[in-house]
Amino acid sequence: MIQPSFAPRVFSGIQPSGELTLGNYLGAIKRFVDMQGPEFETVYCMVDLHAMTVWQEPHDLLKSTRELCAGFIASGIDPERSILICQSHVPEHAQLAWIFNCVARVGWMQRMTQFKDKAGKNSQRASLGLFCYPALMAADILIYHATHVPVGEDQKQHLELTRDIAAKFNHDYGVEFFPITEPVIEGLATRVMSLRDGTKKMSKSDPSDMSRINLTDNSDTIALKIRKARTDTQSLPSEPDGLKERPEAQNLVNIYAALAGQPIEKVLEEIGGKQFSEFKPLLADLAVAELAPISTKIKKLTSDTSEIDRILRRGAERARHITHPILERVYQIVGMVPK
Ligand code: AQP
């Protein structure tokens, strides 16, 4: 089916399920900032409804959502150029998710690796929300007719499902209503790994704070976490092939390259042959130079929660100009009585 042309629009979101990490920053937020500009309309979201698919203390959820908004702005998202929203402020996300729960198939959800990872062995006790999370994610994207979604590598499968849901809806109802969204998985750090285990993704919810760098960490904490990061005993190689089977070394070099904005080959020309004891201080300096100003700005912004709430209210108003007509059209397509 030939797709009609949709206006280029970017949507992406982050869960307020803890403090923002270097993984979120390099894998997602830096891309969000880069995509602001004349080429795209950009919508960025604090996905609080997703966060509660696993238990969140209400007080912590509230605090994390405002902190996340501050993190977005401190990292360079401009609330005038982008539409910055809280998912629960725009009810059409959840309303479209219900329609998609009726389009998506149980078997599709059962194949999602993130559900298997997060639900663990006792999946019968996981929330129903965690199981059908990808249908809400598809709704988040498609309620804006978003054409491009910048994400880290871990979200690839969910984006494929979003495309499947859009295609099935279009096919079942004989329309060309939803775009087939393009994932944008780019950059040198699409999968930043834990500082304690190079085979595990760096995550907000990892029980060990030493496994990640938080955007609110101060310079000393960043330097300490890098100093303590797990490594192997060999020196750094001069060629990318020398990083094979060395997940911790690969991860630290990837982080360095992403922060420096340089290809791995170039970085290895510079650091090849060094011991980790020499390389880690260089990495720490680079991380502090990029992250310390962000951390300072986050602290300043979170001291005025009423300003954050005002930005989010304004974002929701702007968003609903897009989402309300799209939902109305969906209801019409599926056969709901017009109001
Ligand atoms: N380690 C990572 N490397 C690269 N990208 C990452 N992202 C997350 N971790 C990394 C990207 O950040 C965006 C927002 O992700 P999220 O917070 O909504 O959900 P997540 O992927 O489940 O992130 P966490 O930190 O692991 O959260 P918890 O611990 O709550 O599950 C996405 O684009 C993601 O790819």
Side-chain angles (χ1 to χ4, degrees):
M1 185 187 286
I2 297 166
Q3 281 266 298
S5 55
F6 289 90
R9 187 178 282 148
V10 171
F11 174 91
S12 199
I14 295 191
Q15 298 183 72
S17 48
E19 293 188 46
L20 276 174
T21 69
L22 182 66
N24 298 131
Y25 178 71
L26 294 176
I29 299 184
K30 252 173 118 62
R31 303 277 77 68
F32 299 177
V33 174
D34 293 345
M35 292 183 98
Q36 294 184 120
E39 202 187 332
F40 296 107
E41 182 174 21
T42 43
V43 185
Y44 297 124
C45 185
M46 279 121 265
V47 286
D48 49 358
L49 298 174
H50 281 290
M52 63 179 296
T53 54
V54 296
W55 172 250
Q56 306 290 331
E57 286 296 337
H59 174 266
D60 293 343
L61 180 61
L62 180 64
K63 184 166 173 282
S64 299
T65 308
R66 286 184 175 135
E67 247 175 40
L68 177 54
C69 181
F72 273 130
I73 298 170
S75 306
I77 306 282
D78 175 349
E80 291 303 317
R81 290 163 80 199
S82 292
I83 300 179
L84 200 52
I85 50 159
C86 193
Q87 189 184 28
S88 60
H89 290 183
V90 183
E92 289 81 10
H93 288 236
Q95 289 172 296
L96 182 61
W98 179 258
I99 304 279
F100 286 170
N101 280 342
C102 303
V103 172
R105 307 287 92 183
V106 170
W108 297 2
M109 300 292 162
Q110 279 170 334
R111 284 196 288 276
M112 295 296 112
T113 54
Q114 191 176 69
F115 174 74
K116 290 181 200 158
D117 292 346
K118 288 199 171 177
K121 288 200 187 91
N122 209 347
S123 62
Q124 293 297 306
R125 293 179 66 93
S127 75
L128 192 53
L130 188 66
F131 184 67
C132 55
Y133 175 121
L136 176 58
M137 180 166 160
D140 296 333
I141 295 165
L142 294 172
I143 196 65
Y144 294 92
H145 276 184
T147 52
H148 295 75
V149 184
V151 283
E153 178 69 37
D154 61 321
Q155 294 300 326
K156 193 165 178 246
Q157 198 186 29
H158 288 164
L159 286 180
E160 282 161 7
L161 193 98
T162 298
R163 292 163 67 93
D164 290 345
I165 290 176
K168 185 165 179 351
F169 181 97
N170 289 348
H171 174 267
D172 290 354
Y173 292 101
V175 289
E176 293 185 12
F177 186 64
F178 285 118
I180 305 301
T181 303
E182 281 301 322
V184 182
I185 304 174
E186 284 173 359
L188 292 159
T190 54
R191 192 166 173 83
V192 178
M193 309 310 277
S194 159
L195 299 179
R196 308 303 298 164
D197 176 352
T199 62
K200 240 174 87 184
K201 190 185 79 149
M202 182 181 284
S203 237
K204 294 186 217 88
S205 54
D206 191 302
S208 165
D209 191 55
M210 294 301 281
S211 69
R212 60 179 165 265
I213 293 174
N214 303 309
L215 291 201
T216 47
D217 285 343
N218 64 29
S219 310
D220 289 346
T221 309
I222 295 172
L224 173 77
K225 287 179 174 176
I226 292 175
R227 199 162 62 242
K228 297 268 181 194
R230 184 166 154 189
T231 50
D232 52 41
T233 50
Q234 300 169 50
S235 59
L236 285 149
S238 306
E239 305 281 335
D241 268 0
L243 291 168
K244 278 193 187 140
E245 315 288 327
R246 297 179 64 190
E248 283 83 18
Q250 175 85 62
N251 188 35
L252 295 185
V253 172
N254 284 355
I255 293 174
Y256 187 98
L259 287 170
Q262 285 179 354
I264 302 275
E265 292 77 8
K266 180 101 196 328
V267 168
L268 292 178
E269 272 172 30
E270 192 189 318
I271 60 163
K274 286 192 195 302
Q275 298 297 323
F276 281 101
S277 55
E278 295 168 272
F279 170 58
K280 282 179 169 180
L282 299 177
L283 176 58
D285 286 349
L286 203 56
V288 167
E290 175 122 356
L291 302 181
I294 296 178
S295 164
T296 310
K297 276 192 214 152
I298 293 178
K299 285 192 189 96
K300 189 157 175 265
L301 288 161
T302 44
S303 67
D304 185 357
T305 55
S306 60
E307 175 59 7
I308 289 188
D309 294 357
R310 189 197 63 76
I311 290 170
L312 291 176
R313 272 198 305 276
R314 171 81 189 111
E317 269 169 34
R318 289 171 69 194
R320 294 199 73 193
H321 285 297
I322 304 172
T323 58
H324 184 71
I326 290 181
L327 187 74
E328 288 294 297
R329 181 77 185 108
V330 170
Y331 279 170
Q332 194 187 23
I333 290 170
V334 303
M336 305 282 176
V337 175
K339 278 186 266 178

